[in-house]
Amino acid sequence: MRLPARLFAFGDGKPALGGRAGRGPGGALAPRLGSELLVPRAPPQDPASAPAGSEGTGSEVTVPKMSLWSIISHMPPEEFSGLFTEFPRSLRCLLADWLENQPWEFINGSDAFCTNVAGGILSAMLEKLRSAASSNEQQCQILQQVSSIESTYRRDPLRLVAVLKAILEGEKAAVLKRDRHLPLSFHRRQEELKFSLGLQRLQHRVREIQALRDGPTASPQLKTEAKPPESVSGGLVHRGESQQPCLPGKELPALILEAVKELEVAKQQVLKRIQIWKRQQQLAGNGALFEENLAPLQKRCESLVEVYFQLHQQVMAASTELGAELLPRLLERFNEVLSSLVKSSFLVEKQPPQVLKTQTKFQASVRFLLGPQLLKASAKPYMVRADMVTEKQARELALSAYNNTLSESTGEIMHNVVALETNPTSGTCCANFKNVLLKKIKRCERKGSESVTEEKCAVLFSTSVALTPSNLSVHLQVLSLPIVVIVHGNQDNNAKATVLWDNAFSEIDRVPFVVAERVPWEKMCDTLNLKFMAEVQTTKGLLKEHYFFLAQKIFNDHSASLEDFQSRSVSWAQFNKEILPGRGFTFWQWFDGVLDLTKRCLKSYWSDRLIIGFISKQYVCKLLSTEPDGTFLLRFSDSEIGGVTIAHVIRGKDGSSQVENIQPFSAKDLSIRSLGDRIRDLGQLRNLYPNTPKDQAFGSHYNKEQTGKDGRGYVSTAIKMTVESERDQQPQSAVGGPRETPQAQMFSLPMLQPELHPESLQSVLSPICPPAPFCPQPIPTGYPAGESNINMMVSDNLQSSFPSTSPMLSPSLVMDPALPRCQDLAFGNPLPFMPNQYMTGEASQLLPGGPSPEPQDEEMPELAPFTQMVDPSLQSSPRWMPPSMDLPPGSDFDQFLQDVSLEGPALCPPFTPPLQRSGYPSPNASCWGLGESRWDDSVRPGHA
């Protein structure tokens, strides 16, 4: 399937076409109604606002606010004309999002409580409308409408509830029809309103029970809770009726049972909110937005426990009326409510790392939300212990509702006992683990082909506390999120894949740590987009064209359409177990390499939409085949891990257009010279696809190059990049390059090449030795680049500093045929050429000892970070000589080189840098030609 070329018009600075209705930031699918929070976390420089929303028992911070009204106000008014027959639309506009922040949906029934709440909201609404009218040009008209509303609904506020509920339902239906989802903040706010109203109803029930027990003397208390004039009858509020005596023996048990039922409903709402917080904390591991503040949740728990004790007190006081049969059942239900709240309020506030390496310190913290309210003072502090448990142990604990204790820890953790401390100032009760260290881990038996990086475990935090006022002893336990323990850095990539899959596709309240083996491709797209935006720290996410390319790659299907992929499901094996066809890595290993490269070197280019990135080489050829010479685009390498390449149009010798792909750049390459400067160096690159001049697109990414002398008096140098096709076809005249006249001196020397392959030395060695049997044959890669793709350019004013070229720098270095030829290049060559010093990749296997075996699952020290160091041998000998050999006396050696230079033309052509013909991965020259063999950034740990 061929997508329209216009979909990839990134270079003109305009947003690319893509996405569809229902997609959130960056084109990602927005969560459906009732789903968890899947909004990408905003980058630090662009924090999202998170206003607080009031609650009946305190304020609660919500997700970034987007009200229903903010969407409705931008939709055509004609779509809502049928909704405003009993309530003017002009007043709806004045009320804006205040209207949706009232609990209209949850005022069900016609009892005294609902009537009181409706009357209170009506009074608040009239006051708000009058306040808004005072600053409005149509003040008189608005005041008339307000008076009409008051006269119509004051006698029956429940009718107003029904009218406004119908208006909000119509608005929600219109938004759902257009966008297929409602704002997340709207769902969150509705949940807050529901709990707040339920808690108020529960408090009302407690007062009713007390009034029913105390008799007529309690009527003034109930009268004061309603704003309209009311009186009390039989424990229920009625308007305009006289007080009548109540019958406690008949109505009290039924009222208490109703109150206990509402208490259990409120408890379930709190537990559900805690589960949602835990789920959002897990999704935050993949980059989703997460409100970490536990203060609103703690306030909610404390408020419910306070009402619990009030109701419990009323039940105990009415034990005589309840009887010996009903009272024990009620007390059992009360104990279950309190036990659930206490155990669920013990949370892991700061999770340990989900990829945890042995012998590495980490931090974590747990918090007891009800600790400040219920924890009994003790002479000795309560201690929290951290133990490592396997997936099997975690499952057994969960099935026992965390009533069993851990029999044996599966790993040895140092500094794993910390005091549970209460802070009166902040009102928190926490245990902070600051210097925990996992010393070793005991592996359990794995199933099937499961690897160590698929084995999940967790940290179990446990403590025993005494609660007030009953001095009840409770054993608290909580599991961390799943953890993959590794012993070496090369396991990190695959461990991250296990964690990503588990975080994205696990269910709330699951059996540890069960997760689906296959998930819809659409959900996988959401997950990849979240991870990409969070890792790169950008607001520009993946587009549907990117998803199309990724689907072709993971399913190995180039014939299906975009719509076909949307109905498919992807398996864990396809994600990170099966090797991609023709490659040596899995889909996740390749995608993670792109993440790492973009995060380290390409963030600004991606954020400016200068990189298409996720597009196949074949489709690039189709896009560029009709474009003029010099048109180019940037794409991530399909065959290498962590590489970005430039595809550009050139004119072939036969006059036809050809598309060439320049050898991919790794993160190390781009740390030597940035992508913007490399593009500036190449004169054949003119317009970023489709037609944006490259200086206009990349000008802000160019680095200013120094000229003249620096503060120490040294003449500045610059590094320029060239490609083979440029050197063959045209002189260097790239933007920012040196002037053609006078020609800058370019040094392209074998001694300045840090990684000369045996085939690169063949032109020099051929007069001396035949090709050695161990030299690998050239493997074409299809990339036009050479060893000298980076050259050191010296400023023009250095020309006068070199009156004559040293024989050592002669480009026509050849060997005298009279010199003895060696049969064994590795050991018998008396000359100072040692090709095995320059071998990388597969050639390194020829060094003594052979290739290093892949680290197994055992304790291994981490390799020290790679640092470039100047070989001491460079102090005394050229790079192409063994450090153990000394140079011949200066005069003899100079004379030798001069003689060779004079006889050279008759023996062999001048030395020129050979074409790059190495296989994957390909080397690049270092900045100054000093160093050791290339540290290959493109080969990530754990990959072939």
Side-chain angles (χ1 to χ4, degrees):
M1 174 184 177
R2 177 172 177 174
L3 296 175
R6 59 185 179 86
L7 294 179
F8 286 105
F10 296 99
D12 56 1
K14 300 177 182 178
L17 299 177
R20 54 184 172 84
R23 290 195 174 267
L29 285 173
R32 310 302 191 273
L33 181 63
S35 64
E36 295 85 24
L37 180 62
L38 286 176
V39 176
R41 186 186 299 120
Q45 67 272 19
D46 186 23
S49 59
S54 60
E55 192 179 46
T57 57
S59 63
E60 185 159 345
V61 178
T62 63
V63 297
K65 182 150 178 109
M66 177 182 286
S67 65
L68 187 67
W69 174 251
S70 65
I71 301 175
I72 295 298
S73 58
H74 292 89
M75 296 176 68
E78 297 77 18
E79 296 187 23
F80 312 100
S81 57
L83 298 177
F84 299 99
T85 56
E86 298 185 59
F87 192 86
R89 178 176 171 80
S90 58
L91 298 186
R92 170 67 180 98
C93 296
L94 286 177
L95 292 173
D97 54 0
W98 180 90
L99 195 69
E100 64 197 62
N101 289 331
Q102 308 307 317
W104 312 107
E105 183 179 347
F106 311 109
I107 303 177
N108 300 315
S110 57
D111 59 2
F113 175 75
C114 293
T115 304
N116 294 340
V117 172
I121 296 177
L122 173 60
S123 300
M125 185 183 71
L126 295 174
E127 182 180 350
K128 183 172 180 63
L129 288 172
R130 290 190 179 101
S131 175
S134 61
S135 58
N136 195 290
E137 298 178 355
Q138 301 177 347
Q139 180 178 0
C140 296
Q141 181 182 354
I142 293 175
L143 290 177
Q144 290 178 359
Q145 292 174 331
V146 170
S147 300
S148 175
I149 292 292
E150 184 174 15
S151 61
T152 303
Y153 299 111
R154 175 60 75 182
R155 292 181 177 273
D156 190 6
L158 291 176
R159 182 184 168 194
L160 175 67
V161 171
V163 170
L164 294 180
K165 187 186 296 186
I167 291 176
L168 289 175
E169 288 295 330
E171 292 177 345
K172 288 193 295 183
V175 174
L176 283 171
K177 181 179 179 181
R178 193 192 72 170
D179 297 341
R180 298 193 300 127
H181 67 95
L182 296 173
L184 288 168
S185 56
F186 178 82
H187 290 297
R188 174 70 180 273
R189 184 59 183 151
Q190 292 300 302
E191 191 270 338
E192 294 170 7
L193 292 171
K194 182 178 180 180
F195 176 79
S196 176
L197 189 66
L199 195 62
Q200 292 177 29
R201 181 184 289 274
L202 195 54
Q203 292 168 338
H204 177 78
R205 291 282 184 243
V206 172
R207 288 190 290 267
E208 282 186 321
I209 293 171
Q210 184 177 357
L212 205 56
R213 286 183 51 252
D214 295 343
T217 57
S219 58
Q221 180 181 356
L222 287 180
K223 285 182 180 180
T224 56
E225 77 173 78
K227 294 186 178 180
E230 296 162 346
S231 60
V232 178
S233 175
L236 299 178
V237 182
H238 298 279
R239 293 182 298 106
E241 297 181 7
S242 60
Q243 176 184 338
Q244 297 182 4
C246 58
L247 300 175
K250 221 173 187 183
E251 299 183 5
L252 188 58
L255 194 58
I256 289 177
L257 284 172
E258 189 175 350
V260 172
K261 182 179 179 181
E262 291 175 355
L263 175 68
E264 291 172 335
V265 170
K267 179 209 71 171
Q268 289 298 329
Q269 291 177 356
V270 171
L271 297 186
K272 182 179 179 181
R273 187 69 194 91
I274 291 175
Q275 291 293 336
I276 290 175
W277 185 90
K278 288 182 176 181
R279 179 65 182 136
Q280 291 173 342
Q281 185 186 49
Q282 186 175 17
L283 288 170
N286 288 356
L289 184 68
F290 175 50
E291 178 52 60
E292 301 178 57
N293 185 17
L294 278 169
L297 198 52
Q298 177 172 323
K299 182 66 176 177
R300 183 179 290 199
C301 292
E302 291 173 343
S303 302
L304 185 58
V305 168
E306 184 178 349
V307 176
Y308 163 88
F309 283 120
Q310 293 174 4
L311 184 57
H312 186 271
Q313 183 181 4
Q314 294 296 328
V315 170
M316 296 304 297
S319 57
T320 304
E321 292 87 344
L322 294 174
E325 183 180 350
L326 181 58
L327 182 61
R329 288 192 285 119
L330 288 176
L331 293 181
E332 185 179 351
R333 292 170 68 178
F334 269 100
N335 290 336
E336 196 280 329
V337 169
L338 182 62
S339 176
S340 298
L341 288 173
V342 168
K343 291 182 177 181
S344 299
S345 65
F346 190 55
L347 302 171
V348 182
E349 185 174 25
K350 181 179 180 181
Q351 293 284 345
Q354 288 191 265
V355 176
L356 183 58
K357 187 175 179 293
T358 55
Q359 302 295 334
T360 303
K361 291 184 178 180
F362 65 93
Q363 297 182 350
S365 66
V366 293
R367 181 167 171 178
F368 185 25
L369 299 181
L370 291 174
Q373 185 181 22
L374 298 181
L375 207 58
K376 183 179 179 180
S378 174
K380 293 183 179 180
Y382 301 106
M383 307 302 292
V384 181
R385 179 183 177 88
D387 294 288
M388 190 67 66
V389 295
T390 63
E391 182 174 347
K392 181 180 178 182
Q393 291 174 315
R395 188 175 294 117
E396 292 172 351
L397 287 169
L399 293 177
S400 70
Y402 297 98
N403 292 323
N404 297 344
T405 56
L406 181 66
S407 58
E408 179 186 8
S409 176
T410 189
E412 184 179 347
I413 302 180
M414 309 292 292
H415 314 297
N416 65 327
V417 179
V418 175
L420 184 64
E421 300 175 339
T422 300
N423 188 333
T425 305
S426 61
T428 59
C429 182
C430 300
N432 297 310
F433 296 81
K434 296 182 179 179
N435 294 299
V436 194
L437 183 140
L438 179 61
K439 191 172 182 181
K440 60 182 178 181
I441 185 72
K442 298 177 184 177
R443 299 292 187 188
C444 61
E445 293 184 3
R446 292 184 293 276
K447 48 191 176 183
S449 60
E450 187 180 58
S451 66
V452 287
T453 56
E454 296 176 77
E455 180 183 339
K456 290 177 277 192
C457 53
V459 177
L460 176 69
F461 299 94
S462 59
T463 184
S464 294
V465 297
L467 305 181
T468 57
S470 58
N471 198 28
L472 177 67
S473 179
V474 180
H475 186 64
L476 302 176
Q477 296 183 109
V478 63
L479 281 172
S480 71
L481 291 175
I483 292 174
V484 178
V485 178
I486 62 175
V487 298
H488 197 276
N490 70 343
Q491 299 171 321
D492 179 75
N493 177 271
N494 292 324
K496 286 194 299 183
T498 301
V499 169
L500 181 77
W501 187 277
D502 189 272
N503 287 346
F505 308 122
S506 61
E507 300 291 338
I508 291 181
D509 216 10
R510 62 171 173 173
V511 176
F513 296 108
V514 177
V515 66
E517 281 292 323
R518 300 188 71 88
V519 296
W521 170 244
E522 210 169 41
K523 284 188 176 181
M524 175 58 72
C525 291
D526 293 339
T527 300
L528 295 177
N529 183 65
L530 283 171
K531 189 66 175 177
F532 188 91
M533 296 178 69
E535 286 288 325
V536 179
Q537 290 292 287
T538 179
T539 57
K540 302 297 175 62
L542 306 180
L543 304 174
K544 67 176 183 180
E545 296 80 25
H546 299 147
Y547 297 138
F548 182 60
F549 166 75
L550 294 174
Q552 289 179 322
K553 193 173 188 70
I554 198 170
F555 293 115
N556 190 30
D557 186 350
H558 298 273
S559 60
S561 65
L562 184 64
E563 292 73 19
D564 294 337
F565 287 127
Q566 292 176 358
S567 60
R568 292 193 185 183
S569 60
V570 60
S571 67
W572 162 250
Q574 290 171 314
F575 182 67
N576 195 48
K577 285 185 76 72
E578 298 173 357
I579 300 299
L580 293 175
R583 309 297 182 213
F585 43 80
T586 65
F587 173 84
W588 163 252
Q589 290 167 352
W590 174 84
F591 187 82
D592 188 50
V594 170
L595 275 182
D596 184 69
L597 175 71
T598 310
K599 175 177 63 177
R600 293 168 60 183
C601 305
L602 304 176
K603 174 183 175 180
S604 58
Y605 302 92
W606 176 270
S607 298
D608 291 344
R609 289 298 191 197
L610 301 176
I611 300 176
I612 291 181
F614 299 101
I615 181 174
S616 66
K617 184 185 294 187
Q618 294 77 11
Y619 189 57
V620 165
C621 292
K622 295 180 181 179
L623 283 181
L624 298 182
S625 60
T626 59
E627 298 297 327
D629 293 358
T631 304
F632 68 98
L633 56 78
L634 303 172
R635 52 174 289 270
F636 297 122
S637 174
D638 194 36
S639 58
E640 293 189 11
I641 294 179
V644 62
T645 183
I646 303 173
H648 65 104
V649 181
I650 64 170
R651 187 67 58 182
K653 295 182 179 180
D654 58 354
S656 61
S657 293
Q658 298 179 1
V659 177
E660 280 197 352
N661 292 271
I662 297 177
Q663 178 180 326
F665 309 122
S666 66
K668 184 182 178 183
D669 298 330
L670 298 179
S671 68
I672 296 173
R673 186 158 180 81
S674 70
L675 180 63
D677 291 341
R678 289 171 182 265
I679 291 174
R680 176 174 56 178
D681 293 340
L682 301 179
Q684 65 267 51
L685 305 183
R686 300 185 183 92
N687 295 315
L688 178 65
Y689 179 85
N691 55 6
T692 305
K694 74 174 183 181
D695 290 338
Q696 177 183 334
F698 294 91
S700 60
H701 301 276
Y702 294 161
N703 292 314
K704 184 178 180 181
E705 298 190 349
Q706 298 180 353
T707 57
K709 296 183 179 181
D710 61 13
R712 299 172 297 171
Y714 290 112
V715 177
S716 61
T717 61
I719 302 174
K720 301 294 182 184
M721 189 187 85
T722 60
V723 294
E724 190 66 27
S725 58
E726 180 182 29
R727 291 199 303 269
D728 290 345
Q729 298 176 13
Q730 57 184 358
Q732 185 174 2
S733 58
V735 178
R739 298 184 302 272
E740 292 187 8
T741 306
Q743 180 72 26
Q745 184 69 36
M746 176 185 295
F747 300 105
S748 298
L749 308 175
M751 68 184 67
L752 291 179
Q753 302 297 330
E755 304 172 277
L756 294 181
H757 289 254
E759 65 270 20
S760 304
L761 296 171
Q762 193 60 39
S763 60
V764 178
L765 299 177
S766 56
I768 306 172
C769 308
F774 64 83
C775 294
Q777 295 301 315
I779 303 176
T781 64
Y783 294 121
E787 297 265 9
S788 302
N789 63 340
I790 294 182
N791 299 281
M792 184 171 69
M793 308 299 296
V794 185
S795 301
D796 301 337
N797 53 9
L798 271 182
Q799 297 261 353
S800 58
S801 303
F802 295 92
S804 62
T805 303
S806 170
M808 286 187 64
L809 306 182
S810 172
S812 56
L813 180 62
V814 296
M815 293 301 166
D816 193 331
L819 293 176
R821 296 173 180 264
C822 65
Q823 298 302 320
D824 188 340
L825 184 60
F827 306 101
N829 185 9
L831 294 179
F833 290 100
M834 296 185 65
N836 57 354
Q837 288 186 353
Y838 314 106
M839 296 180 187
T840 59
E842 292 80 354
S844 64
Q845 301 176 8
L846 302 171
L847 296 177
S852 300
E854 183 178 0
Q856 301 300 318
D857 185 22
E858 59 185 10
E859 305 293 337
M860 296 183 63
E862 187 69 83
L863 291 176
F866 175 77
T867 55
Q868 281 199 346
M869 300 178 61
V870 179
D871 194 327
S873 62
L874 294 175
Q875 312 277 340
S876 59
S877 62
R879 176 59 178 162
W880 45 268
M881 296 184 66
S884 60
M885 296 191 63
D886 295 326
L887 282 172
S891 58
D892 296 342
F893 185 69
D894 289 347
Q895 182 61 38
F896 164 74
L897 289 178
Q898 186 174 0
D899 295 340
V900 170
S901 177
L902 292 176
E903 298 177 8
L907 298 175
C908 66
F911 173 84
T912 56
L915 287 175
Q916 173 67 26
R917 296 187 183 277
S918 63
Y920 168 82
S922 54
N924 280 303
S926 64
C927 293
W928 308 107
L930 292 178
E932 297 73 19
S933 295
R934 179 176 183 269
W935 182 280
D936 197 347
D937 261 47
S938 63
V939 180
R940 301 177 56 78
H943 304 156

